[in-house]
Amino acid sequence: MTDPKAIQPSELDQLPDRDPEETAEWQASLDAVTKAAGPHRAAYLMRRTLERAEGAGIALPKLLETDYVNSIPTADEPAVDGDEALEQRITAWNRWNAAAMVTRGSKHGVGGHIATFASAAWLYETGFNHFFKGKEGDGSGDQLYIQGHASPGIYARAFLDGRLSEEQLDNFRREAGGNGLPSYPHPRRLPWLWEFPTVSMGLGPISAIYQARFNRYLTSRGIKDLTNSHVWAFLGDGEMDEPESTTALTLASREGLDNLTFVINCNLQRLDGPVRANFKIVQELEAQFRGAGWNVVKSLWGTAWDELFQLDTTGALVRRLREVPDAQVQTYQTRDAAYIREDFFGKDPQLAEMAKLLSDDKILECFHYSRGGHESRKVYAAYRAALAHKGAPTVILAQTVKGHTLGTGFASKNANHQMKKLSVDEFKDMRDLLGLPIKDSDFVDGVVPYGHPGADSPEVRYLQERRAALGGPAPARRVHPVAPLPAPAEKAFASFDKGSGSQNVATTMAFVRLVKDLVRDKETGKRWVPIVPDEARTFGMESLFPSLGIYSPKGQTYEPVDRDQLMYYKEAKNGQILNEGITEAGSMADFIAASTSYATHGETMIPFYIFYSMFGWQRTADQMWQLGDQLGRGFLVGATAGRTTLTGEGLQHADGHSPAIAATNPASLTYDPAFAYEVAAIVKDGLRRMYGEAAPGEDPNVFYYLTVYNEPMPQPAKPSAAGVDEGIVKGLYRFNTAESAGLAPAANAPRIQLLGSGTAIHWALKAQKLLAEEWGVSADVWSATSWTELRRDAMEADAALLRGEERMPYVRQALQGAEGPVLAVSDYMRQVPDQIAQWVEQDWSSLGADGFGLSDTREAARRHFGVDAESIVVAALAQLAGRGEVKATAVKEARERYGL
């Protein structure tokens, strides 16, 4: 027995020891095992002891890594509930048709990927046959995030099921003709099949996490019970390098999302080579997920390995598997038995003795074919374990071979991601390996045939029976027939028409006030989903905390420090606000889940996500493209917008380009409203178009992007002229004229049209007054609420002209007859207003905040960029001087007067 006095304080750490003698006995036992049986045996016992403690619920730090073996022993695998032989044949047909589709498409140069589905086929087929619930039950079913590069296999299954035709398979990646298939899961391109776009790698994982969380949100709020829906995300091991792939892992475990399973296809390869050439990606991922609180299930080795593990009485095999780097495992896949005997087994005398008991065929079976992700029994056991685990999400790490069954020319080759076709001979070898009844004569003129056992074959009947039992086809997207949401009371919008009087109000505050009124609506109020990334107080939304509550699955387990205040920080299990912390990516994932709930769950929700405009499109534009692909609907609100309105914050906060980026997204309707009543009119139109009765020809599957400002300014009453509301929605209307502004011009005074958007209209109005009072120039001021919508309308008119239809662009109609040149100004880069220049008949010029932002006062920043009122005056005079309507000396005089 070890002397307790010999135990050093560092060994005890800071934990008090009530029985040092007992502690010493345990340590002495460990020392004895190490001395007698070696360190490997001691480590084995310690791991098993810690696993036993974890299983018993004893609070101990978890092991971050386990041995490089399956989590579920073969003896514990449940029997597969189905006909394994039929499933094997179904999978064989799907493997064949996926490869045939891409190979045939390669003749047209359209590309495609073969190897990914070849490695993951059983991961999908086991799920489709036994686990993935369809939408013909409760209308939601499971949500499937399919790995984008595996799409040919999903199309192949839909072909076998009768949902796709041979003609459609032949039009893979050729959509222009109208009967083709998109390259990857694109709901906008194939909206009856795909639900979730995933091929922009990294977006699938984060989207799946927030979808599972949003399912809980809908359940907790009483919108829809989704306790039977499960989210499955199929990912690549290389994809996990994307920061979005792992950024929300702790959210999933923190909130106990046991309705979520990640299935990571660990074929050890990314696009150019090994994922972790000198390391082990499975072990790295296991540690990462365990550290984040996930349940981890490893399915690494097939049944052929059982004999080897039984022979491993010393642990030498397990040790060797743990130390061999992934790139060497990939090499074994391509080498003969002699090489494997020498390089793998020959490194350890105990393994060398084991290898003598193994035939060459046995070694090749293990190292070339037998992986946990390639056997339905192994995958079935892993999926059952995932669904049985409660209290945390599960990740399944399934080891596979990239290019499995495609032949030696594909399997584990570094270049196989870019290999687009098989030769006829390779297809014949594949046919023989899979046991498919395809004759040599079926290869007409060297073209590989599609294979189908027949609509009434046992394979197809079995496939369809399994899907019927699970709730219908999958994947499938359904837009349930739901009644349009009733329009909120007009009072909520009309209250902004009279203006703010003497009170200065920022358009951000106007938007928040509008939302506060809309969420009180008895019919639609509960449908609103406010989303904010930890900046609610910045945007003046703290008043929503106590009335709506912040969603938390635990409710509020503490007494908030500001409980005695009216607007205290209130969390609730049925809270309506999603306050995501400092994560724009997470907030966008929330928005996507909420904005597509009308299709995913048949429940229409109205999300609005408010954020620093600089940290929206610039940071998460990829997710906004995903949002457009997924046909999402809702309101994105870029607050503290503009390059000069956020005083003192500086370069990385000064947004001068978000409308330019937003203009690149066809699904985004981008607005830069100047006044509170414009904000109200745009939101009202958005609710009508996206959630109410869209007009003929209008696509409701759009989202609105509004820029709003934190600068308190006078909010005028809405002009009474006809067509103002139409102009706000279409993008341009005349706010006033020199005459209506009380700036009576002299007869025959030169005139100019000033177009301003957002906060810039206030500079234009000041310039209008200066031009009249100091330079004798009449100016009309126009509010350009959307440069982008004006451009899109004009482009549609151009397209109509090519079809032989005459249609005048709206911007030209609106400005028709307006005297003088046009000068446009915004708080963004000049290219934002310049979008419409070619359709304006008058002489065109523009001002904008080009370049990097800077820290200073608003006035100084505007003078720096040359967009303040005085700069507008000088630019207007220069434009008029160029036309000979004012003296050229006036431009120099104005520059000197204003100190430009």
Side-chain angles (χ1 to χ4, degrees):
M1 184 176 68
T2 303
D3 183 356
K5 295 179 181 179
I7 301 174
Q8 299 299 314
S10 60
E11 295 177 46
L12 293 175
D13 198 26
Q14 294 180 327
L15 301 176
D17 191 344
R18 70 179 186 181
D19 192 342
E21 185 173 349
E22 181 183 38
T23 303
E25 290 174 354
W26 277 79
Q27 292 174 328
S29 297
L30 178 63
D31 292 341
V33 170
T34 303
K35 184 176 181 180
H40 298 302
R41 178 61 180 171
Y44 176 86
L45 292 174
M46 288 299 297
R47 284 197 299 273
R48 293 297 175 264
T49 301
L50 286 171
E51 289 170 358
R52 182 63 171 265
E54 182 180 336
I58 298 173
L60 280 173
K62 294 183 178 180
L63 285 171
L64 293 185
E65 288 185 34
T66 60
D67 287 327
Y68 203 67
V69 297
N70 295 347
S71 301
I72 305 170
T74 301
D76 293 342
E77 292 171 4
V80 177
D81 180 22
D83 188 324
E84 292 184 72
L86 271 177
E87 291 179 21
Q88 186 80 39
R89 281 153 56 189
I90 290 169
T91 305
W93 285 116
N94 291 339
R95 287 182 181 280
W96 176 273
N97 287 323
M101 180 194 324
V102 177
T103 297
R104 289 167 68 126
S106 69
K107 295 181 181 296
H108 304 285
V110 295
H113 301 284
I114 302 177
T116 295
F117 178 73
S119 66
W122 278 113
L123 302 180
Y124 292 107
E125 291 300 321
T126 303
F128 285 128
N129 287 327
H130 301 282
F131 295 95
F132 304 156
K133 295 188 288 290
K135 292 182 174 291
E136 294 176 0
D138 63 2
S140 288
D142 288 351
Q143 287 78 61
L144 309 180
Y145 288 78
I146 305 294
Q147 194 178 0
H149 292 129
S151 60
I154 309 305
Y155 290 141
R157 189 171 224 274
F159 170 64
L160 202 66
D161 192 15
R163 294 202 290 163
L164 289 176
S165 66
E166 187 170 314
E167 178 189 4
Q168 287 173 297
L169 295 194
D170 255 358
N171 284 327
F172 174 59
R173 291 193 168 205
R174 293 193 297 155
E175 299 179 78
N179 197 30
L181 299 177
S183 54
Y184 302 123
H186 294 307
R188 189 169 283 275
R189 290 301 184 202
L190 200 63
W192 60 267
L193 180 73
W194 298 119
E195 279 195 284
F196 308 110
T198 54
V199 81
S200 187
M201 288 188 283
L203 298 191
I206 190 172
S207 296
I209 290 173
Y210 280 89
Q211 181 66 58
R213 197 283 201 88
F214 190 72
N215 290 359
R216 290 283 174 85
Y217 170 88
L218 289 180
T219 301
S220 297
R221 290 196 55 216
I223 302 293
K224 185 172 185 179
D225 184 356
L226 296 170
T227 52
N228 290 325
S229 281
H230 199 84
V231 178
W232 300 82
F234 290 83
L235 317 168
D237 46 1
E239 180 178 8
M240 300 312 293
D241 284 347
E242 290 284 5
E244 294 90 349
S245 294
T246 55
T247 186
L249 296 185
T250 52
L251 167 74
S253 60
R254 184 171 66 246
E255 300 204 1
L257 298 181
D258 50 22
N259 60 337
L260 169 68
T261 297
F262 276 14
V263 181
I264 302 182
N265 178 18
C266 298
N267 57 34
L268 313 184
Q269 288 184 250
R270 52 190 177 199
L271 307 190
D272 290 331
V275 178
R276 293 289 184 273
N278 298 296
F279 306 93
K280 301 192 79 63
I281 186 60
V282 168
Q283 300 300 87
E284 179 182 319
L285 290 174
E286 179 183 28
Q288 191 169 19
F289 277 89
R290 282 183 175 273
W294 285 54
N295 175 47
V296 178
V297 176
K298 293 196 289 192
S299 182
L300 308 181
W301 308 110
T303 53
W305 283 82
D306 289 348
E307 179 183 341
L308 276 66
F309 288 123
Q310 289 298 318
L311 294 172
D312 185 29
T313 58
T314 65
L317 176 61
V318 173
R319 291 196 299 274
R320 181 69 179 134
L321 288 173
R322 192 163 59 239
E323 70 187 20
V324 176
D326 285 350
Q328 191 63 27
V329 173
Q330 184 180 342
T331 298
Y332 294 148
Q333 178 68 36
T334 65
R335 298 301 180 91
D336 59 19
Y339 177 89
I340 299 170
R341 284 182 186 277
E342 178 183 350
D343 192 87
F344 181 83
F345 293 98
K347 302 292 186 182
D348 186 302
Q350 294 171 323
L351 288 181
E353 289 300 313
M354 179 191 295
K356 294 177 181 178
L357 304 175
L358 305 175
S359 67
D360 284 356
D361 287 344
K362 181 66 175 181
I363 289 175
L364 292 179
E365 180 186 12
C366 289
F367 283 85
H368 284 192
Y369 304 107
S370 186
R371 299 291 188 273
H374 292 326
E375 295 187 13
S376 62
R377 284 179 172 267
K378 303 293 185 184
V379 177
Y380 184 91
Y383 287 5
R384 280 282 174 229
L387 293 180
H389 188 82
K390 301 302 176 185
T394 293
V395 59
I396 295 169
L397 303 175
Q399 186 161 276
T400 65
V401 174
K402 194 165 186 176
H404 183 60
T405 73
L406 297 180
T408 57
F410 263 83
S412 285
K413 294 298 178 64
N414 281 338
N416 62 18
H417 188 79
Q418 304 301 329
M419 297 164 70
K420 312 297 183 187
K421 59 184 178 180
L422 276 70
S423 67
V424 169
D425 287 341
E426 287 172 325
F427 265 110
K428 290 178 179 179
D429 290 342
M430 182 183 176
R431 171 200 61 190
D432 297 340
L433 176 65
L434 298 176
L436 293 173
I438 296 173
K439 302 185 293 295
D440 285 356
S441 59
D442 293 333
F443 291 82
V444 179
D445 297 327
V447 177
V448 57
Y450 293 118
H452 199 293
D456 197 40
S457 64
E459 294 96 325
V460 172
R461 288 201 308 271
Y462 179 85
L463 182 155
Q464 293 175 342
E465 287 168 1
R466 298 301 302 183
R467 289 311 316 157
L470 287 165
R477 182 179 182 274
R478 299 283 186 270
V479 178
H480 304 266
V482 294
L485 292 182
E490 180 64 25
K491 180 181 178 182
F493 306 103
S495 63
F496 295 93
D497 291 353
K498 61 181 182 294
S500 63
S502 60
Q503 182 183 10
N504 287 347
V505 177
T507 50
T508 298
M509 294 301 99
F511 177 81
V512 171
R513 179 186 148 191
L514 175 62
V515 169
K516 286 174 65 177
D517 290 340
L518 293 175
V519 296
R520 294 192 189 105
D521 186 86
K522 292 182 179 180
E523 295 291 334
T524 60
K526 70 176 183 178
R527 300 284 173 180
W528 283 86
V529 183
I531 303 168
V532 60
D534 200 38
E535 287 279 6
R537 298 182 193 278
T538 301
F539 309 136
M541 292 175 57
E542 65 269 28
S543 61
L544 298 178
F545 290 167
S547 58
L548 300 184
I550 300 165
Y551 171 72
S552 168
K554 289 185 175 292
Q556 195 153 41
T557 62
Y558 61 92
E559 182 178 355
V561 67
D562 54 358
R563 182 62 182 86
D564 58 341
Q565 298 178 17
L566 181 63
M567 294 184 287
Y568 73 98
Y569 196 82
K570 177 186 175 183
E571 297 187 76
K573 291 182 179 179
N574 64 345
Q576 194 164 347
I577 300 170
L578 291 173
N579 190 314
E580 288 306 344
I582 305 173
T583 167
E584 285 82 8
S587 299
M588 268 307 302
D590 257 338
F591 186 88
I592 292 170
S595 70
T596 54
S597 181
Y598 73 93
T600 307
H601 298 306
E603 293 289 346
T604 301
M605 306 302 288
I606 312 171
F608 80 85
Y609 164 36
I610 188 167
F611 50 89
Y612 264 70
S613 63
M614 186 65 160
F615 306 141
W617 286 89
Q618 175 169 292
R619 181 168 289 187
T620 56
D622 197 10
Q623 286 177 291
M624 289 155 176
W625 201 263
Q626 175 192 10
L627 168 66
D629 192 346
Q630 202 166 319
L631 290 79
R633 306 171 184 175
F635 296 97
L636 296 176
V637 183
T640 60
R643 182 145 278 164
T644 71
T645 62
L646 197 57
T647 55
E649 292 287 347
L651 185 150
Q652 286 191 301
H653 284 68
D655 172 25
H657 52 278
S658 69
I661 304 175
T664 65
N665 191 312
S668 173
L669 277 60
T670 303
Y671 288 91
D672 187 25
F675 304 124
Y677 66 79
E678 293 178 354
V679 172
I682 293 164
V683 172
K684 179 182 177 181
D685 181 70
L687 291 173
R688 174 199 61 79
R689 177 170 178 171
M690 295 185 291
Y691 304 104
E693 297 284 357
E698 277 187 329
D699 183 3
N701 299 314
V702 294
F703 57 94
Y704 283 59
Y705 175 54
L706 284 72
T707 50
V708 293
Y709 298 84
N710 69 327
E711 185 175 8
M713 298 295 289
Q715 296 298 326
K718 183 196 293 188
S720 58
V724 170
D725 283 343
E726 178 188 24
I728 291 172
V729 173
K730 288 191 171 182
L732 183 68
Y733 69 96
R734 182 156 51 192
F735 176 73
N736 70 14
T737 63
E739 291 80 3
S740 65
L743 303 170
N748 300 319
R751 186 175 289 267
I752 190 168
Q753 308 298 317
L754 301 179
L755 277 59
S757 69
T759 195
I761 202 164
H762 298 285
W763 322 330
L765 289 168
K766 182 179 178 183
Q768 179 189 42
K769 186 176 182 181
L770 290 174
L771 283 166
E773 294 178 350
E774 300 185 12
W775 305 99
V777 171
S778 298
D780 301 337
V781 176
W782 299 71
S783 181
T785 54
S786 180
W787 309 103
T788 301
E789 287 307 297
L790 291 173
R791 175 180 176 81
R792 288 175 177 169
D793 171 80
M795 292 172 66
E796 289 173 6
D798 287 353
L801 186 62
L802 290 175
R803 297 191 300 267
E805 305 168 16
E806 290 288 341
R807 185 166 77 77
M808 183 182 293
Y810 175 78
V811 63
R812 189 170 295 169
Q813 293 178 42
L815 291 171
Q816 195 168 33
E819 298 178 34
V822 167
L823 174 60
V825 61
S826 79
D827 205 15
Y828 299 95
M829 303 166 66
R830 287 177 62 180
Q831 72 185 59
V832 173
D834 284 348
Q835 291 180 88
I836 66 170
Q838 73 184 83
W839 293 281
V840 174
E841 292 182 321
Q842 293 87 346
D843 290 343
W844 174 271
S845 184
S846 64
L847 297 174
D850 287 76
F852 287 113
L854 75 166
S855 300
D856 213 312
T857 64
R858 291 179 178 127
E859 293 75 16
R862 286 161 189 168
R863 175 56 57 92
H864 170 81
F865 287 111
V867 292
D868 60 355
E870 292 78 7
S871 298
I872 294 173
V873 169
V874 172
L877 293 174
Q879 220 174 343
L880 292 169
R883 294 161 56 93
E885 297 181 24
V886 300
K887 295 179 179 179
T889 56
V891 181
K892 181 175 182 295
E893 182 183 348
R895 281 202 301 266
E896 293 173 350
R897 180 182 302 183
Y898 301 133
L900 294 180

